Amino acid sequence: MKQGRFIVFEGIDGAGKTTQIDLLEQHLRRQGKAVWRTAEPTDSVTGGLLRDALCGASRRSACEMAALFTLDRIHHNVNPVVGIEKMLRDGRDVICDRYYYSSLAYQGSETDPEWVRRMNLDCPEIRRPDLCIFLDLTPEQSMERIRRGRATQEIYETQERLEAVRAKFLQVIASLRDAERIVVVNAARPMEEIHAEICALVADL
Ligand code: TYD
């Protein structure tokens, strides 16, 4: 049986990951492909610890967060029932919402980026994707999409944070360009146009 393809989506909040993942999933299913859709943090016990920390219910240091995301990712790969390796082996295309690029961008900004990078990229049980699609939108554009109903001050604070995250993502992507297939897709266009570009990229794998 032919092994499936491993496709990752990344992007700042509001970049349209969910919409584009929905569209790609439907497109592949229409082609008769088996598809496994997944996301990080996962539903594992470790994923629960991460969500507790992300919502402020518990406190974790930057290194704890980086290590927990890595542990969650390893389990995501090797879980014998619904892991990425298992799904690819069974011939499914795997579409994943966020992966180690998020760790390199977020945790890499909060603790030693070289350590975060090595922990992820040198781990024998963390697979490199066949394709990473970075949906790129300026924070102004993304905030414009979600502007209604928010206080101005809050918007500017968020916008500043999004700008820093985006800059870090672009830096991470540039540093991996020679080693991986990563495509920065302009997400400020109509969703059908973006979808068409993504379908062409996936067809090329
Ligand atoms: P999530 O609930 O998936 O929301 P989103 O729709 O923004 O993807 O939130 C995941 C959060 O976890 C998001 O703010 C990014 C962060 N994150 C990291 O900091 N490091 C990582 O390795 C991953 C996978 C996510």
Side-chain angles (χ1 to χ4, degrees), residues 92-103:
R92 292 187 178 85
D93 285 335
V94 174
I95 308 177
C96 187
D97 184 346
R98 294 192 184 277
Y99 200 54
Y100 55 63
Y101 313 90
S102 281
S103 283

Side-chain angles (χ1 to χ4, degrees), residues 160-192:
E160 220 164 77
R161 199 184 64 89
L162 289 179
E163 188 56 76
V165 173
R166 176 182 183 234
K168 191 70 188 174
F169 261 122
L170 292 174
Q171 188 189 325
V172 163
I173 289 166
S175 75
L176 287 169
R177 270 241 162 92
D178 291 342
E180 295 192 17
R181 181 146 175 68
I182 309 180
V183 182
V184 177
V185 169
N186 173 5
R189 296 170 298 157
M191 71 177 187
E192 280 303 335

